[in-house]
Amino acid sequence: MVALCLSLLAAGVYCLLTGFGARNGLGFAASWRRLPAATVTGPLLGGLFGLGVLAALICAFAL
């Protein structure tokens, strides 16, 4: 449950920061380049999402 929440939190923050997913919005690559302080925010969001996915996989195989 926590892993799913981490992944959704990272995806939601990404969408809020970049406008990705908005009607007639930018594509994924273009919105990724628009991240504020992309050298820090991008890897941080990617790491949070990756951590959530990894935890979800571990929980799925363990349970």
Side-chain angles (χ1 to χ4, degrees):
M1 187 67 163
V2 173
L4 177 66
C5 290
L6 282 176
S7 297
L8 291 176
L9 176 69
V13 169
Y14 173 76
C15 290
L16 286 174
L17 285 174
T18 63
F20 176 71
R23 184 174 299 198
N24 298 323
L26 298 171
F28 183 81
S31 60
W32 185 261
R33 286 189 295 272
R34 289 187 59 206
L35 274 176
T39 57
V40 175
T41 310
L44 183 66
L45 286 175
L48 182 63
F49 184 79
L51 183 65
V53 170
L54 182 64
L57 286 172
I58 291 171
C59 289
F61 288 121
L63 299 175

